[in-house]
Structure formats: structure tokens, C-alpha cells
């Protein structure tokens, strides 16, 4: 039987990924500026780690969805799509 990703799964939408990535990039730029206090830097770093993990989870879910689409019966053995030249 084919495996599917249920519609009620905790797959974050693409817009949510984009927002998290944008916020992470802004945090990094702000931290690189060097004008933050130690407390603010630590809080930003902690927030950045959370955002990074969220983005990573979103990418893993997207990869799983692609694998299921490529080969629903055996997603672990799905071959990457190679376009013809």
C-alpha cells in the first residue's frame, strides 16, 4: 500500500519557511553588526537556533514529500530526478 503524507501532518507551509529564513538572516546580520549587548546577543542566538531547527524540519518534510511523490511504494529507494539534456 502506498504511503502518503496526511493533510493534517505538521508540515509547515512554504511561506512559514520563507518567513523563518528571512528572520534568521536578519538576526545574523544584526549580530554581525556587533552593537548588541551580551544578553541581547544570547537571546538572538537562542532565537536563531530555534529558527534554524524550524527551517531544517521544514526542509526534511519537503524532502520526504518529494520522495513520496517520486516513489510512493518505496520512498527510501526513490531515485533523484535527472532531467534530460
Amino acid at each position: 500500500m502506498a504511503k502518503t503524507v496526511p493533510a493534517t501532518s505538521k508540515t509547515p507551509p512554504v511561506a512559514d519557511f520563507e518567513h523563518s529564513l528571512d528572520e534568521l538572516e536578519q538576526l545574523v546580520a544584526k549580530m554581525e553588526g556587533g552593537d548588541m549587548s551580551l544578553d541581547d546577543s544570547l537571546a538572538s542566538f537562542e532565537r536563531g537556533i530555534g529558527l534554524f531547527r524550524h527551517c531544517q524540519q521544514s526542509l526534511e518534510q519537503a524532502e520526504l514529500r518529494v520522495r513520496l511523490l517520486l516513489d510512493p511504494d518505496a520512498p527510501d529507494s526513490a531515485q533523484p530526478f535527472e532531467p534530460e539534456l
Side-chain angles (χ1 to χ4, degrees), residues 47-63:
R47 175 70 179 144
I49 292 296
L51 290 167
F52 169 77
R53 289 180 180 154
H54 180 266
C55 289
Q56 187 176 30
Q57 180 185 20
S58 297
L59 290 173
E60 288 170 358
Q61 287 294 318
E63 181 181 10

Side-chain angles (χ1 to χ4, degrees), residues 2-76:
K3 296 179 184 178
T4 59
V5 176
T8 59
S9 71
K10 295 182 181 179
T11 304
V14 173
D16 193 33
F17 169 81
E18 296 287 337
H19 176 75
S20 294
L21 185 59
D22 185 50
E23 185 179 345
L24 181 58
E25 289 173 345
Q26 289 176 19
L27 271 176
V28 168
K30 190 175 178 182
M31 290 176 71
E32 287 178 341
D35 297 330
M36 300 174 73
S37 69
L38 179 59
D39 286 339
D40 289 342
S41 293
L42 288 172
S44 293
F45 179 75
E46 185 175 7
R47 175 70 179 144
I49 292 296
L51 290 167
F52 169 77
R53 289 180 180 154
H54 180 266
C55 289
Q56 187 176 30
Q57 180 185 20
S58 297
L59 290 173
E60 288 170 358
Q61 287 294 318
E63 181 181 10
L64 175 60
R65 290 176 67 191
V66 168
R67 287 181 176 275
L68 287 171
L69 289 169
L70 289 174
D71 191 352
D73 294 325
D76 292 332

